[in-house]
Amino acid sequence: MRVLELGNNISAPLACTILGELGEDVIKVEPPQGDDRRKIELEGVKGLYFASVNRNKRSVSIDLKRKEGLEIFEELLSTADVVVTNYRPRALSKLGVDFEEAVRVNPKVIYCSITGYGRREGDRPAYDATVLAESGLMDLTGYPGGPPSKFATSIADVTTAMMAAISVLHAYASDRRPVLLDVPMLQTQLYLSLEDAYAVLNGGTSPTRTGSAHRYLVPYQAFRTSDGYVYVAVFNDSQFLRLCDAIGREDLKAYSTNSKRVRAKEIVVAEIQREMERETRDRWIDVLRRYDVPCAPVLTLGEAIRRYGEVTEVGAIKYLNFPLQTWVGLRRPSPGLGEHTVEVLEELGYSREEVEDMARKGIVKMMDRRA
């Protein structure tokens, strides 16, 4: 499929990157100033922040505020199957690229609109952290007695991007044309809150912060060792009994059911912690795995990437590979602003001379790797 991206920052760009990873033709339509992520330095390097969610796509820079630019976009739209955007609905309407206008140009278009709070409140500004705050998930993140905490990564943006990609693939496979896919960030977070939401809906109480621990399973949390942390994830009673054998605490088998352990959580956790402090992280991982107790070392991101990361290097940038076997490979590194303007417009029938003339007039922008 051909996908047009009218995206900025994370949610729409990442959704389109996922589609690009699966082999679809993604064209990122950027304003002359480019995506906001192009301007942010990461580790002192310009371009890394942008590269993290903008690969396997082509960049075309068009000024949609100009009549001539809008006409070019409409020509491009007539060749597309999908539009993915996280621009606010009012901005899309003002530019003349909203769903209604898109259908007028292309009656078979799939139009995926990502907003913070749904299209009824689509013009409210929304960022990952503000959505997490209002979704209730930030209130659940952190340690008891401490302040609410942001998630380690931009989880609201990332999960919404995945939901958008799923919606597009379903609409394309179902041949639903035209269709408006409304993908709200906040409702996505509520949907993904899983058992905690069901506790609220059916129990009437609101869960509280538990740090690294599970709210409903014991022991299911990080334990401090002599030189680091081990996460122990006991999901059932037989695993707990094996844990007791592994740490040499036959007495703890008195708490043989999860309901008993939940009621005596402080005692159980304190006794396990006492044992864990006696040995190193790697020693406990070796012992617990021999007893088939679900566990993992708490690694830094650097350790995790060195141990598990599959990487493709293009130019000066190292990219993490797409995790699914359906990945078609890193066909295109993250594009420079307007890097493919000439290429894409030539596909529409424009000559290079015409594109260069439009670039001189500011209607389009051609490649500038420094942007």
Side-chain angles (χ1 to χ4, degrees):
M1 70 179 83
R2 169 166 283 187
V3 181
L4 301 187
E5 176 197 311
L6 291 171
N8 192 44
N9 211 345
I10 298 179
S11 57
L14 180 56
C16 290
T17 291
I18 292 170
L19 295 172
E21 306 278 42
L22 298 174
E24 314 304 346
D25 177 23
V26 178
I27 299 174
K28 183 179 181 75
V29 181
E30 298 185 72
Q33 68 272 22
D35 187 317
D36 284 346
R37 284 180 78 87
R38 289 187 181 276
K39 305 174 182 66
I40 300 174
E41 290 188 357
L42 183 63
E43 296 295 320
V45 179
K46 204 170 183 181
L48 288 183
Y49 204 70
F50 176 79
S52 66
V53 293
N54 284 285
R55 66 194 201 186
N56 280 335
K57 59 181 74 170
R58 297 186 283 175
S59 170
V60 176
S61 182
I62 306 173
D63 188 349
L64 297 181
K65 296 178 181 179
R66 300 275 294 271
K67 178 176 178 292
E68 301 90 337
L70 183 58
E71 289 172 351
I72 295 170
F73 176 79
E74 290 180 347
E75 288 185 61
L76 194 55
L77 177 59
S78 68
T79 71
D81 299 291
V82 180
V83 173
V84 179
T85 182
N86 61 346
Y87 291 179
R88 298 192 212 181
R90 188 180 302 168
L92 292 165
S93 179
K94 188 175 180 180
L95 289 170
V97 293
D98 57 6
F99 175 64
E100 290 73 21
E101 285 300 310
V103 170
R104 182 185 62 78
V105 175
N106 184 344
K108 294 186 176 182
V109 72
I110 296 169
Y111 196 98
C112 180
S113 174
I114 298 171
T115 60
Y117 305 92
R119 290 183 67 80
R120 285 181 297 179
E121 296 185 73
D123 282 301
R124 287 179 61 190
Y127 285 90
D128 176 85
T130 60
V131 168
L132 278 180
E134 205 159 355
S135 72
L137 295 188
M138 186 176 285
D139 184 61
L140 295 181
T141 307
Y143 278 84
S149 178
K150 178 185 176 299
F151 196 76
T153 189
S154 300
I155 195 68
D157 280 318
V158 171
T159 54
T160 304
M162 292 177 173
M163 195 69 77
I166 291 168
S167 299
V168 166
L169 293 170
H170 173 69
Y172 189 76
S174 304
D175 199 27
R176 296 169 56 197
R177 313 286 182 86
V179 62
L180 172 61
L181 305 174
D182 180 11
V183 186
M185 292 175 67
L186 190 135
Q187 282 77 11
T188 295
Q189 301 319 296
L190 293 179
Y191 179 76
L192 296 175
S193 61
L194 303 179
E195 67 269 12
D196 292 325
Y198 285 77
V200 172
L201 289 170
N202 299 283
T205 58
S206 187
T208 57
R209 292 188 281 282
T210 59
S212 73
H214 199 287
R215 290 181 182 81
Y216 314 111
L217 299 172
V218 176
Y220 205 107
Q221 65 183 74
F223 288 95
R224 185 177 62 258
T225 69
S226 64
D227 66 347
Y229 286 85
V230 168
Y231 202 99
V232 176
V234 169
F235 193 81
N236 59 47
D237 297 334
S238 62
Q239 291 171 351
F240 178 72
L241 296 178
R242 294 200 297 273
L243 171 64
C244 293
D245 291 335
I247 64 175
R249 292 296 300 269
E250 187 76 15
D251 58 310
L252 292 180
K253 290 184 179 180
Y255 305 102
S256 58
T257 66
N258 187 62
S259 58
K260 290 179 181 178
R261 295 193 294 277
V262 169
R263 287 194 294 270
K265 181 176 181 178
E266 290 186 7
I267 296 173
V268 173
V269 168
E271 291 304 311
I272 296 172
Q273 178 60 70
R274 190 191 312 277
E275 301 302 326
M276 288 290 169
E277 291 174 356
R278 301 180 191 275
E279 298 284 354
T280 65
R281 183 189 75 179
D282 291 345
R283 169 66 177 159
W284 275 124
I285 291 297
D286 179 59
V287 170
L288 294 174
R289 286 179 177 171
R290 280 195 279 111
Y291 280 84
D292 198 25
V293 176
C295 64
V298 179
L299 303 178
T300 66
L301 181 58
E303 289 175 318
I305 290 174
R306 285 191 293 274
R307 186 175 296 188
Y308 300 111
E310 296 180 1
V311 177
T312 298
E313 187 169 356
V314 180
I317 297 180
K318 296 176 182 177
Y319 294 84
L320 282 175
N321 290 353
F322 194 59
L324 304 184
Q325 291 182 352
T326 50
W327 188 48
V328 298
L330 183 56
R331 297 167 294 125
R332 298 178 184 275
S334 57
L337 177 60
E339 178 176 346
H340 304 96
T341 299
V342 174
E343 177 183 313
V344 173
L345 267 58
E346 283 182 339
E347 290 175 5
L348 294 177
Y350 291 89
S351 67
R352 183 178 183 89
E353 291 73 23
E354 288 175 312
V355 177
E356 290 174 346
D357 181 59
M358 288 188 289
R360 283 192 293 271
K361 295 176 180 177
I363 299 166
V364 302
K365 186 169 185 177
M366 295 165 61
M367 179 180 173
D368 182 357
R369 265 293 182 184
R370 297 167 299 175

